[in-house]
Amino acid sequence: MSLPGVDTQSVRHTLDALSRVLDCSNCQTDALVLLMYFSSLTAAAARDAEQRRRLADEMAAARESAANLRAAIGAALSAAAEGDADPLWYLQDEYAAQKNAIHTEGW
C-alpha cells in the first residue's frame, strides 16, 4: 500500500531491522515495544493519509459547488439584463441540484 507523505520503504526496513533484534534474548522486550511503537506510527500515518485524501475530496467538491453557484449567478444576472421573465430560474435550478446532491451523497 502506498501512503502519501510516508516513506513506506524506510518503515519496512526499520521494521525488518527491529524483527532481527527480537532474536536478542537480552533485549527482546525493548525491541518488541519498539516494534509495536513503529507499527502504531505506521497505522497513524495511514489514518492521516486517509483523512488528507478525504479533506482534499471535500475541498474539491466545495470548489465545484462555488463555481456552479457563481455560474448560476452570472446566468441569472444576464437573463435579468436581457429581460427574461424568470431570471432567478438559474439560481433555483442550481440550488435544487446542490440540495439534492447533499441528500444523495451525504455531503
Side-chain angles (χ1 to χ4, degrees):
M1 169 180 15
S2 176
L3 302 173
V6 176
D7 182 359
T8 55
Q9 185 176 4
S10 176
V11 171
R12 188 176 306 113
H13 288 309
T14 302
L15 292 175
D16 288 344
L18 285 172
S19 67
R20 286 190 296 277
V21 173
L22 288 175
D23 294 336
C24 174
S25 60
N26 295 333
C27 56
Q28 187 170 3
T29 302
D30 291 336
L32 184 57
V33 168
L34 285 174
L35 184 60
M36 291 170 56
Y37 173 71
F38 279 111
S39 178
S40 70
L41 285 179
T42 303
R47 284 190 305 272
D48 289 348
E50 173 59 25
Q51 184 176 17
R52 283 192 305 272
R53 185 204 57 76
R54 183 183 56 77
L55 290 173
D57 289 349
E58 287 181 19
M59 179 72 80
R63 286 183 177 141
E64 181 181 5
S65 173
N68 289 341
L69 285 171
R70 283 192 303 272
I73 290 168
L77 291 173
S78 293
E82 293 172 6
D84 191 316
D86 188 14
L88 291 180
W89 177 86
Y90 297 98
L91 292 173
Q92 293 165 337
D93 183 58
E94 182 56 33
Y95 177 77
Q98 289 194 18
K99 186 176 179 182
N100 186 43
I102 289 170
H103 292 294
T104 58
E105 298 171 12
W107 190 61

